[in-house]
Amino acid sequence: MRRLGFRSSSRHHRGGSGPRRTSVLGIPVQLILVAMVIAALLGALLAAALEQSTASRTHSGSSAVDAPTGAGKNSSGLPVITETTLGTEVQRLVDAGMIQPPTSFDATECLREQGIQDSILIMEEVAWGTDETHGWLLVHGPMDRETLRANGGTVSATVVLPNCGSADGGDVDPQQSRLWSGSVMIGSL
């Protein structure tokens, strides 16, 4: 009786000398695994970025317009502002059309002491920074308030201590009265 067998040729059988490659639809499995790992990492990065951008948007728009003890205000009812929330607060003031409240100091003289010749557009008593230093936010610029509300633009903002521009400021250097100074871009109403 003759045995049926298969003959192996060197062309078809390598004798186990090389790794066996598997593929799915002609694509090597290793390449599919690498693509899946990269996709998972990108998904995690995008989820983290979305969470962070949503959290910072909620944080920056947290100041309440009329609530005396609402979010963004301290126990005295003063808005708590920092460099990161200053632009939002100035925009809120411009949108609300606030008029200049009475002050315990001469705000015009305060700006003059700071070397600033602009007119004051809006001002607000604030708590500045993480230590909530009592101060005043002075929004000033070369334009009037109505033009700013209608067209938007760049205005200057200066945060000063309450002794700025007052006679009881004594011999204090005007630069020591300034907590922050810079420019803020305002959108039109």
Side-chain angles (χ1 to χ4, degrees):
M1 194 183 235
R2 207 176 201 206
R3 289 181 138 181
L4 292 175
F6 292 101
R7 288 181 152 181
S8 65
S9 72
S10 62
R11 215 170 42 179
H12 296 293
H13 180 58
R14 297 180 188 215
S17 63
R20 184 176 178 147
R21 296 196 180 236
T22 58
S23 63
V24 175
L25 298 174
I27 302 172
V29 172
Q30 293 86 354
L31 185 61
I32 292 173
L33 290 174
V34 169
M36 289 175 65
V37 168
I38 290 172
L41 289 174
L42 284 175
L45 287 173
L46 288 173
L50 178 62
E51 183 178 332
Q52 184 177 16
S53 69
T54 304
S56 67
R57 178 177 298 155
T58 302
H59 176 69
S60 68
S62 66
S63 63
V65 176
D66 294 323
T69 58
K73 298 201 177 196
N74 67 8
S75 60
S76 302
L78 296 177
V80 178
I81 60 172
T82 63
E83 286 185 44
T84 57
T85 61
L86 183 79
T88 303
E89 185 65 14
V90 171
Q91 182 71 56
R92 185 191 70 78
L93 288 172
V94 170
D95 291 347
M98 303 281 292
I99 59 170
Q100 294 180 13
T103 64
S104 59
F105 68 97
D106 185 350
T108 305
E109 178 60 29
C110 176
L111 281 185
R112 252 188 246 118
E113 285 179 2
Q114 299 296 320
I116 300 168
Q117 300 304 316
D118 294 340
S119 60
I120 296 175
L121 303 172
I122 301 168
M123 54 195 288
E124 179 183 39
E125 195 170 8
V126 297
W128 175 255
T130 55
D131 58 350
E132 298 184 14
T133 303
H134 181 246
W136 284 87
L137 167 60
L138 307 175
V139 179
H140 50 93
M143 64 188 80
D144 61 70
R145 194 174 329 146
E146 288 73 33
T147 303
L148 178 62
R149 289 184 78 207
N151 303 325
T154 303
V155 294
S156 297
T158 305
V159 181
V160 295
L161 293 171
N163 67 353
C164 180
S166 64
D168 57 332
D171 295 329
V172 177
D173 179 19
Q175 300 305 315
Q176 291 178 340
S177 297
R178 183 182 340 171
L179 298 172
W180 189 86
S181 184
S183 298
V184 177
M185 180 67 94
I186 301 296
S188 61
L189 207 77

